[in-house]
Coordinates of all heavy atoms in Angstrom, one line a residue:
D1 N -38.0 47.5 0.9 CA -37.2 48.8 1.1 C -38.0 49.6 2.1 O -39.1 49.3 2.6 CB -37.0 49.5 -0.2 CG -38.3 49.9 -0.9 OD1 -39.4 49.7 -0.3 OD2 -38.2 50.3 -2.1
H2 N -37.3 50.7 2.4 CA -37.8 51.7 3.4 C -37.9 53.0 2.7 O -37.0 53.5 2.0 CB -36.9 51.8 4.6 CG -37.4 52.5 5.8 ND1 -37.7 53.9 5.8 CD2 -37.7 52.1 7.1 CE1 -38.1 54.2 7.0 NE2 -38.2 53.2 7.8
A3 N -39.1 53.7 2.8 CA -39.3 54.9 2.1 C -38.4 56.0 2.7 O -38.0 55.9 3.8 CB -40.8 55.3 2.1
A4 N -38.3 57.1 2.0 CA -37.5 58.3 2.5 C -38.2 58.9 3.7 O -39.5 58.8 3.8 CB -37.4 59.3 1.4
V5 N -37.5 59.4 4.6 CA -38.0 60.0 5.9 C -37.3 61.4 6.1 O -36.1 61.5 5.9 CB -37.7 59.2 7.1 CG1 -38.3 59.8 8.3 CG2 -38.4 57.8 6.9
V6 N -38.2 62.4 6.4 CA -37.7 63.8 6.6 C -38.3 64.2 8.0 O -39.5 64.1 8.2 CB -38.2 64.7 5.5 CG1 -37.6 66.2 5.8 CG2 -37.7 64.3 4.1
P7 N -37.4 64.7 8.9 CA -35.9 64.7 8.8 C -35.4 63.3 9.1 O -36.1 62.4 9.5 CB -35.5 65.6 9.9 CG -36.6 65.5 10.9 CD -37.9 65.3 10.2
N8 N -34.1 63.1 8.8 CA -33.5 61.8 9.1 C -33.6 61.5 10.6 O -33.1 62.3 11.4 CB -32.0 61.9 8.6 CG -31.3 60.5 8.7 OD1 -31.6 59.7 9.7 ND2 -30.5 60.2 7.8
P9 N -34.3 60.5 11.0 CA -34.5 60.2 12.4 C -33.2 59.9 13.2 O -33.1 60.0 14.4 CB -35.4 59.0 12.5 CG -35.2 58.3 11.1 CD -34.9 59.4 10.2
Y10 N -32.1 59.6 12.5 CA -30.8 59.3 13.1 C -29.9 60.5 13.2 O -28.9 60.5 14.0 CB -30.1 58.2 12.4 CG -30.9 56.9 12.6 CD1 -31.8 56.5 11.7 CD2 -30.7 56.1 13.7 CE1 -32.6 55.3 11.8 CE2 -31.5 54.9 13.9 CZ -32.4 54.5 13.0 OH -33.1 53.4 13.1
T11 N -30.2 61.6 12.4 CA -29.3 62.8 12.5 C -30.1 64.0 12.9 O -29.5 65.0 13.3 CB -28.7 63.0 11.1 OG1 -29.7 63.3 10.2 CG2 -27.8 61.8 10.7
G12 N -31.4 63.9 12.8 CA -32.3 65.0 13.2 C -32.4 66.1 12.1 O -33.0 67.1 12.3
Q13 N -31.8 65.9 11.0 CA -31.8 66.9 9.9 C -31.7 66.2 8.5 O -31.3 65.0 8.5 CB -30.6 67.9 10.1 CG -29.3 67.2 10.1 CD -28.2 68.2 10.4 OE1 -28.4 69.4 10.7 NE2 -26.9 67.7 10.4
G14 N -32.0 66.9 7.5 CA -31.8 66.3 6.1 C -32.8 65.2 5.9 O -33.9 65.1 6.5
V15 N -32.5 64.4 4.9 CA -33.4 63.3 4.5 C -32.7 61.9 4.7 O -31.5 61.8 4.3 CB -33.7 63.4 3.0 CG1 -34.6 62.3 2.6 CG2 -34.4 64.8 2.8
M16 N -33.4 61.0 5.3 CA -32.9 59.6 5.2 C -33.5 59.1 3.9 O -34.8 58.9 3.7 CB -33.4 58.8 6.4 CG -32.9 57.3 6.3 SD -33.3 56.3 7.8 CE -35.0 56.0 7.5
P17 N -32.7 58.7 2.9 CA -33.2 58.4 1.6 C -33.9 57.0 1.6 O -33.7 56.2 2.4 CB -32.0 58.4 0.7 CG -30.9 58.1 1.6 CD -31.2 58.7 2.9
R18 N -34.8 56.9 0.6 CA -35.3 55.5 0.3 C -34.2 54.5 0.1 O -33.2 54.8 -0.6 CB -36.3 55.6 -0.9 CG -36.7 54.3 -1.4 CD -36.0 53.9 -2.7 NE -36.1 52.5 -3.0 CZ -35.4 51.9 -3.9 NH1 -34.4 52.6 -4.6 NH2 -35.5 50.6 -4.2
H19 N -34.3 53.4 0.7 CA -33.2 52.4 0.6 C -33.7 51.0 0.8 O -34.7 50.7 1.5 CB -32.2 52.7 1.7 CG -32.7 52.6 3.1 ND1 -33.3 53.7 3.7 CD2 -32.8 51.6 4.0 CE1 -33.7 53.4 5.0 NE2 -33.4 52.1 5.2
I20 N -33.0 50.1 0.1 CA -33.3 48.6 0.2 C -32.8 48.2 1.6 O -31.7 48.7 2.1 CB -32.5 47.8 -0.9 CG1 -33.1 48.1 -2.2 CG2 -32.5 46.4 -0.6 CD1 -32.4 47.5 -3.4
Q21 N -33.6 47.4 2.3 CA -33.2 47.1 3.7 C -32.1 46.0 3.7 O -32.1 45.1 2.9 CB -34.5 46.6 4.4 CG -35.4 47.8 4.6 CD -36.7 47.5 5.3 OE1 -37.6 46.8 4.8 NE2 -36.8 47.9 6.6
S22 N -31.2 46.1 4.6 CA -30.0 45.3 4.6 C -30.1 43.9 5.0 O -29.1 43.2 5.1 CB -28.9 46.0 5.4 OG -29.3 46.1 6.8
H23 N -31.3 43.5 5.4 CA -31.5 42.1 5.8 C -31.3 41.2 4.6 O -31.1 39.9 4.8 CB -32.8 41.8 6.6 CG -34.0 42.4 5.9 ND1 -34.7 43.4 6.4 CD2 -34.7 42.0 4.8 CE1 -35.7 43.7 5.7 NE2 -35.7 42.8 4.6
W24 N -31.5 41.7 3.4 CA -31.4 40.9 2.2 C -31.0 41.8 1.0 O -31.9 42.5 0.5 CB -32.7 40.2 1.9 CG -32.7 39.2 0.8 CD1 -32.2 39.3 -0.5 CD2 -33.3 37.9 0.8 NE1 -32.5 38.3 -1.2 CE2 -33.2 37.4 -0.5 CE3 -34.0 37.2 1.7 CZ2 -33.7 36.1 -0.9 CZ3 -34.6 35.9 1.4 CH2 -34.4 35.4 0.1
I25 N -29.8 41.9 0.6 CA -29.4 42.6 -0.6 C -28.6 41.7 -1.5 O -27.6 41.2 -1.2 CB -28.5 43.8 -0.2 CG1 -29.2 44.8 0.7 CG2 -28.1 44.6 -1.5 CD1 -28.4 46.0 1.1
A26 N -29.1 41.6 -2.7 CA -28.5 40.7 -3.8 C -27.8 41.7 -4.7 O -28.3 42.7 -5.2 CB -29.5 39.9 -4.5
V27 N -26.6 41.3 -5.1 CA -25.7 42.1 -6.0 C -25.2 41.3 -7.2 O -24.6 40.2 -7.0 CB -24.5 42.7 -5.2 CG1 -23.6 43.5 -6.1 CG2 -25.0 43.5 -4.0
R28 N -25.4 41.8 -8.4 CA -25.0 41.0 -9.6 C -23.5 41.3 -9.9 O -22.9 42.2 -9.4 CB -25.9 41.5 -10.8 CG -27.4 41.2 -10.6 CD -27.8 39.9 -11.0 NE -29.1 39.5 -10.4 CZ -30.3 39.8 -10.9 NH1 -30.4 40.6 -12.0 NH2 -31.4 39.3 -10.4
R29 N -23.0 40.4 -10.7 CA -21.5 40.4 -11.0 C -21.0 41.8 -11.4 O -19.9 42.2 -11.0 CB -21.1 39.3 -12.0 CG -19.6 39.3 -12.2 CD -19.2 38.4 -13.4 NE -19.3 37.0 -13.0 CZ -20.2 36.1 -13.6 NH1 -21.1 36.6 -14.5 NH2 -20.2 34.9 -13.2
R30 N -21.7 42.5 -12.3 CA -21.2 43.7 -12.8 C -20.9 44.7 -11.7 O -19.9 45.5 -11.8 CB -22.3 44.4 -13.8 CG -21.8 45.6 -14.5 CD -22.8 46.1 -15.5 NE -23.8 47.0 -15.0 CZ -23.7 48.3 -14.9 NH1 -22.6 48.9 -15.4 NH2 -24.6 49.0 -14.4
M31 N -21.8 44.7 -10.7 CA -21.6 45.7 -9.6 C -20.6 45.1 -8.6 O -19.7 45.8 -8.0 CB -22.9 45.9 -8.9 CG -22.9 46.9 -7.8 SD -24.5 47.5 -7.3 CE -24.4 47.5 -5.6
A32 N -20.6 43.8 -8.3 CA -19.8 43.2 -7.3 C -18.3 43.2 -7.7 O -17.4 42.9 -6.8 CB -20.2 41.8 -7.0
T33 N -18.0 43.3 -9.0 CA -16.6 43.3 -9.4 C -16.2 44.7 -9.9 O -15.1 44.9 -10.5 CB -16.4 42.3 -10.6 OG1 -17.3 42.7 -11.7 CG2 -16.7 40.9 -10.1
S34 N -17.0 45.7 -9.6 CA -16.7 47.1 -10.1 C -15.8 47.9 -9.1 O -15.6 47.5 -8.0 CB -18.0 47.9 -10.2 OG -18.6 48.1 -8.9
D35 N -15.2 48.9 -9.7 CA -14.3 49.8 -8.8 C -15.2 50.5 -7.8 O -14.7 50.7 -6.6 CB -13.7 50.9 -9.7 CG -12.6 50.3 -10.6 OD1 -12.1 49.2 -10.3 OD2 -12.3 50.9 -11.6
A36 N -16.4 50.8 -8.1 CA -17.3 51.4 -7.2 C -17.6 50.5 -6.0 O -17.6 51.0 -4.8 CB -18.7 51.8 -7.8
W37 N -17.7 49.2 -6.2 CA -17.9 48.3 -5.1 C -16.7 48.3 -4.2 O -16.8 48.3 -2.9 CB -18.2 46.9 -5.7 CG -18.4 45.8 -4.7 CD1 -17.5 44.8 -4.4 CD2 -19.6 45.5 -4.0 NE1 -18.0 44.0 -3.5 CE2 -19.4 44.3 -3.3 CE3 -20.9 46.1 -4.0 CZ2 -20.3 43.8 -2.4 CZ3 -21.8 45.5 -3.1 CH2 -21.6 44.4 -2.4
R38 N -15.5 48.2 -4.8 CA -14.3 48.2 -3.9 C -14.2 49.5 -3.2 O -13.8 49.5 -2.0 CB -13.1 48.0 -4.8 CG -13.0 46.5 -5.3 CD -11.7 46.3 -6.1 NE -11.8 46.9 -7.4 CZ -12.2 46.3 -8.5 NH1 -12.8 45.1 -8.4 NH2 -12.2 46.9 -9.7
E39 N -14.5 50.6 -3.8 CA -14.4 51.9 -3.2 C -15.4 52.0 -2.0 O -15.0 52.5 -0.9 CB -14.7 53.1 -4.2 CG -14.7 54.4 -3.5 CD -15.2 55.5 -4.5 OE1 -15.4 55.2 -5.7 OE2 -15.3 56.7 -4.0
Y40 N -16.6 51.5 -2.2 CA -17.6 51.6 -1.1 C -17.1 51.0 0.2 O -17.2 51.5 1.3 CB -18.9 50.9 -1.6 CG -20.0 50.9 -0.6 CD1 -20.8 52.1 -0.4 CD2 -20.2 49.8 0.3 CE1 -21.9 52.1 0.5 CE2 -21.3 49.8 1.2 CZ -22.1 50.9 1.3 OH -23.1 50.9 2.3
W41 N -16.6 49.8 0.0 CA -16.2 49.0 1.2 C -14.8 49.5 1.8 O -14.6 49.6 3.0 CB -16.1 47.5 0.9 CG -17.4 46.9 0.7 CD1 -17.9 46.6 -0.5 CD2 -18.5 46.7 1.6 NE1 -19.2 46.1 -0.4 CE2 -19.5 46.1 0.9 CE3 -18.6 46.9 3.0 CZ2 -20.7 45.8 1.6 CZ3 -19.7 46.5 3.6 CH2 -20.8 46.0 2.9
A42 N -14.0 50.0 0.9 CA -12.6 50.5 1.3 C -12.8 51.8 2.1 O -11.9 52.1 3.0 CB -11.7 50.7 0.1
T43 N -13.8 52.6 1.8 CA -13.9 53.9 2.4 C -15.0 53.9 3.6 O -15.3 55.0 4.1 CB -14.3 55.0 1.4 OG1 -15.6 54.6 0.8 CG2 -13.2 55.1 0.3
M44 N -15.5 52.7 3.9 CA -16.5 52.6 5.0 C -15.9 53.1 6.3 O -14.8 52.6 6.7 CB -17.0 51.2 5.1 CG -18.0 51.0 6.2 SD -19.6 51.8 5.8 CE -20.1 50.9 4.3

């Protein structure tokens, strides 16, 4: 993961939150079949 950074280097303000890096993200069934999962991708 990547630790939080202040300010966000891509916006110049606020916080870039701590986040798992996207080169490898594993998702279990409970989350991959959830409404939240569908909402995340549908509103991208």
Side-chain angles (χ1 to χ4, degrees):
D1 62 7
H2 193 293
V5 178
V6 181
N8 188 321
Y10 293 92
T11 64
Q13 58 188 2
V15 180
M16 183 173 76
R18 167 256 164 194
H19 58 273
I20 291 172
Q21 293 180 285
S22 62
H23 49 250
W24 184 318
I25 300 179
V27 179
R28 302 273 164 80
R29 181 188 285 114
R30 186 174 88 90
M31 182 167 139
T33 58
S34 68
D35 290 338
W37 181 257
R38 287 185 287 272
E39 178 188 353
Y40 179 84
W41 293 106
T43 59
M44 180 66 64

